[in-house]
Amino acid sequence: MPTPIPPRLAELRRQFGLRLRDVREGRGLSQERLGELAEVDRKTINRIENGMYSPRLDNVFQIADALDITVKELFDVPATPRNA
């Protein structure tokens, strides 16, 4: 059974996933198509967007490239309080 992650990390994953979804949908891409472009499985895209998976750094680079944005732009999520 996986070890639960701290609430702050769960929130950051959720925010990252929402950002990824917003950018992907803004580009008119399905999860399947983004996966193809980024050479990442569609299920992985889904898990990232739902905050259930923390992507490898290599995947983040591939996804940013596929979306034609910088990695920094992909991480442009709202700030969360440290004690959350």
Side-chain angles (χ1 to χ4, degrees):
M1 186 165 161
T3 306
I5 63 168
R8 176 164 165 71
L9 290 180
E11 176 60 18
L12 290 170
R13 280 186 187 180
R14 188 184 77 76
Q15 290 292 325
F16 182 82
L18 291 173
R19 173 67 178 153
L20 174 56
R21 179 176 290 140
D22 286 347
V23 174
R24 176 183 59 77
E25 289 178 348
R27 301 280 192 285
L29 298 172
S30 66
Q31 289 179 345
E32 181 76 30
R33 183 64 182 140
L34 176 57
E36 290 169 1
L37 293 170
E39 299 180 3
V40 175
D41 187 71
R42 182 207 58 84
K43 290 179 185 178
T44 299
I45 300 295
N46 180 272
R47 290 180 186 125
I48 295 169
E49 287 186 359
N50 288 303
M52 300 178 69
Y53 178 75
S54 181
R56 293 181 7 227
L57 187 55
D58 291 349
N59 288 351
V60 172
F61 292 142
Q62 290 171 273
I63 290 168
D65 285 347
L67 292 169
D68 196 30
I69 62 173
T70 66
V71 171
K72 182 179 178 181
E73 289 173 289
L74 192 54
F75 279 97
D76 188 18
V77 298
T80 57
R82 277 250 174 236
N83 59 358

